[in-house]
Amino acid sequence: MDQETFSLLRDTVRRFVDERLIPNEDRVEHEDAVPTEIIAEMRDLGLFGLTVPVKYDGLGLTMSEEAEIIFELGRTSFAYRSVIGTTVGIGSQGIVMDGTEEQKSEWLPKLAGGMFASFALTEPNAGSDAASIRTTAAKDGNIYRINGTKRYITNAPRAGMFTVMARSESDVKGAAGITAFIVDASTPGISFGKNDKKMGQKGTVTCDVIFDNVEVPAANIIGLVPGRGFKTAMKVLDRGRIHLSALSSGMCSRLVQESVQYAVERQQFGQAIGAFQLVQGLIADSQTDAFAAWCMTRDVAARFDAGEKVSRDVASTKYFASEALGRVADRAVQVHGGAGYMAEYKVERFFRDVRLMRIYEGTSQIQQTIIAKALLREAGLAV
Ligand code: COS
């Protein structure tokens, strides 16, 4: 996208966040849902198609451009970003990265037009150890029968399609036996658990997805290559983790802003609390965390766009940005004092919302192992 068009898009999203999304945050929290008219506005703005190539009716943003837009969406309740997050990110990127021309032309225009996509990897017994999934895909002529349960699947009840990782090669253990399938959500045999009750992020939708003898054509194997699903999932997660780092950076900036505003308005000992150096220290540490997280995100996004191998640095960025956000949210509550513990002030809600960032799309501990193993393997250690 040329620079001028992109600037216009970013300004439009920024205004949309300030004028439509932030004013409706309390409604999302109380109704535990993003209002349907706002979802329609997100569709009209083209937000579902941010990362779908222009050839398939999307906006075709680069990783760097995507990060800038997701930063803006990060400045408000995460439920909004979650509406488009799986379609823009992990739900569609398997097809974009590894799909055949037919698969791209069939599915990507629908996704860009606002169909929800979900990414079905995690299972009750396979979280961090993604290569241990048990969902099976048994070959029967030209079809595969999928059986198993997927857990905590974002946007599942409203998805039009799923990217499903299942074990198709029963004689192959671990990662190499896993295949990625495109599954039309209307296929018989798919059912859902009840919506998960979560610590925060009201308005987001996650639940179990149960596959009971779901028949999927062999033609729906992403890229038509069985056994490549784990690698597809890992590549998708590399991009997804940059997206989440941008989201964390956006929320860092919001929380710094909330902290500064409160420090200016709140009076104690006869003056604004911002005049006290210990409060200034909290604000300065948060701004430093916010700045560092955003610099790392921008740097790794640019190198991703340049085609560099960045998995290790993506892990560092997701690790740092999500942990930084945890610290920033904690300090925001501290700056607010007693008010920070009250539901009436938004920092209490954001403090709970951001806790997930250190867990999903790979916990901080998984990011640490990716970083350390990359270095140790380079140095010749078989870890
Ligand atoms: N890009 C491309 N390929 C990758 C890759 C990446 N980022 N990471 C791993 N691979 C490849 C490896 O190169 C290896 O291929 P070869 O066997 O041909 O060498 C294969 O995938 C298996 O890799 P590895 O042995 O490193 O896999 P592990 O089972 O040790 O798992 C971790 C690696 C822990 C990093 C992975 O399971 C993981 O990311 N877990 C967290 C899962 C997660 O984020 N879940 C969130 C669910 S989605 S919200």
Side-chain angles (χ1 to χ4, degrees), residues 119 122 127-128 130-131 175 230-231 234-235 237-238 241 311 361-362 366 370 377:
F119 180 74
T122 300
S128 292
F230 186 81
K231 285 187 185 166
M234 288 300 118
K235 285 196 283 181
L237 283 171
D238 273 346
R241 288 166 185 163
S311 302
E361 294 193 26
I366 286 295
I370 293 172
R377 279 175 188 162

Side-chain angles (χ1 to χ4, degrees), residues 169-200:
E169 317 300 295
S170 52
D171 48 338
V172 185
K173 282 214 164 94
I178 295 170
T179 296
F181 293 88
I182 301 167
V183 180
D184 187 322
S186 63
T187 316
I190 299 177
S191 60
F192 306 109
K194 38 183 202 317
N195 277 355
D196 299 316
K197 287 201 168 124
K198 301 185 284 291
M199 177 191 284

Side-chain angles (χ1 to χ4, degrees), residues 213-268:
N213 263 324
V214 175
E215 292 185 8
V216 180
N220 283 22
I221 290 177
I222 292 185
L224 302 179
V225 186
R228 200 176 62 182
F230 186 81
K231 285 187 185 166
T232 299
M234 288 300 118
K235 285 196 283 181
V236 164
L237 283 171
D238 273 346
R239 188 170 177 134
R241 288 166 185 163
I242 304 177
H243 174 116
L244 290 187
S245 304
L247 187 71
S248 296
S249 303
M251 184 47 87
C252 279
S253 90
R254 169 72 182 271
L255 287 164
V256 168
Q257 184 204 332
E258 295 281 344
S259 303
V260 169
Q261 200 176 319
Y262 193 77
V264 168
E265 285 165 7
R266 172 74 174 166
Q267 299 271 326
Q268 284 296 280

Side-chain angles (χ1 to χ4, degrees), residues 140-379:
D140 183 358
N142 275 340
I143 61 146
Y144 282 79
R145 283 180 218 288
I146 300 186
N147 281 287
T149 298
K150 295 292 181 178
R151 181 138 291 174
Y152 311 142
I153 305 304
T154 304
N155 287 329
R158 50 192 179 187
M161 65 79 70
F162 294 91
T163 298
V164 180
M165 265 52 67
R167 191 164 289 289
S168 63
E169 317 300 295
S170 52
D171 48 338
V172 185
K173 282 214 164 94
I178 295 170
T179 296
F181 293 88
I182 301 167
V183 180
D184 187 322
S186 63
T187 316
I190 299 177
S191 60
F192 306 109
K194 38 183 202 317
N195 277 355
D196 299 316
K197 287 201 168 124
K198 301 185 284 291
M199 177 191 284
Q201 301 217 5
K202 281 268 172 65
T204 58
V205 182
T206 65
C207 67
D208 278 7
V209 184
I210 300 108
F211 294 87
D212 180 13
N213 263 324
V214 175
E215 292 185 8
V216 180
N220 283 22
I221 290 177
I222 292 185
L224 302 179
V225 186
R228 200 176 62 182
F230 186 81
K231 285 187 185 166
T232 299
M234 288 300 118
K235 285 196 283 181
V236 164
L237 283 171
D238 273 346
R239 188 170 177 134
R241 288 166 185 163
I242 304 177
H243 174 116
L244 290 187
S245 304
L247 187 71
S248 296
S249 303
M251 184 47 87
C252 279
S253 90
R254 169 72 182 271
L255 287 164
V256 168
Q257 184 204 332
E258 295 281 344
S259 303
V260 169
Q261 200 176 319
Y262 193 77
V264 168
E265 285 165 7
R266 172 74 174 166
Q267 299 271 326
Q268 284 296 280
F269 303 103
Q271 54 189 327
I273 60 167
F276 297 107
Q277 288 185 339
L278 292 177
V279 174
Q280 290 171 8
L282 292 169
I283 291 171
D285 285 355
S286 287
Q287 173 57 23
T288 304
D289 270 335
F291 180 48
W294 188 220
C295 285
M296 288 174 82
T297 307
R298 280 180 146 165
D299 178 84
V300 86
R303 289 194 289 123
F304 179 97
D305 286 333
E308 268 184 56
K309 258 188 109 225
V310 284
S311 302
R312 184 198 67 197
D313 292 347
V314 165
S316 294
T317 306
K318 198 268 181 181
Y319 176 38
F320 183 86
S322 59
E323 294 282 340
L325 177 55
R327 294 190 292 270
V328 169
D330 187 67
R331 290 189 204 104
V333 171
Q334 198 66 18
V335 168
H336 281 70
Y341 201 69
M342 299 301 147
E344 191 189 333
Y345 289 80
K346 288 182 181 169
V347 291
E348 178 274 336
R349 180 189 311 166
F350 292 147
F351 177 80
R352 287 181 290 105
D353 288 351
V354 305
R355 189 62 184 82
L356 183 60
M357 305 304 289
R358 292 156 58 193
I359 297 170
Y360 71 169
E361 294 193 26
T363 60
S364 289
Q365 289 64 40
I366 286 295
Q367 308 309 329
Q368 287 175 299
T369 64
I370 293 172
I371 300 158
K373 279 184 178 176
L375 291 171
L376 294 166
R377 279 175 188 162
E378 253 173 55

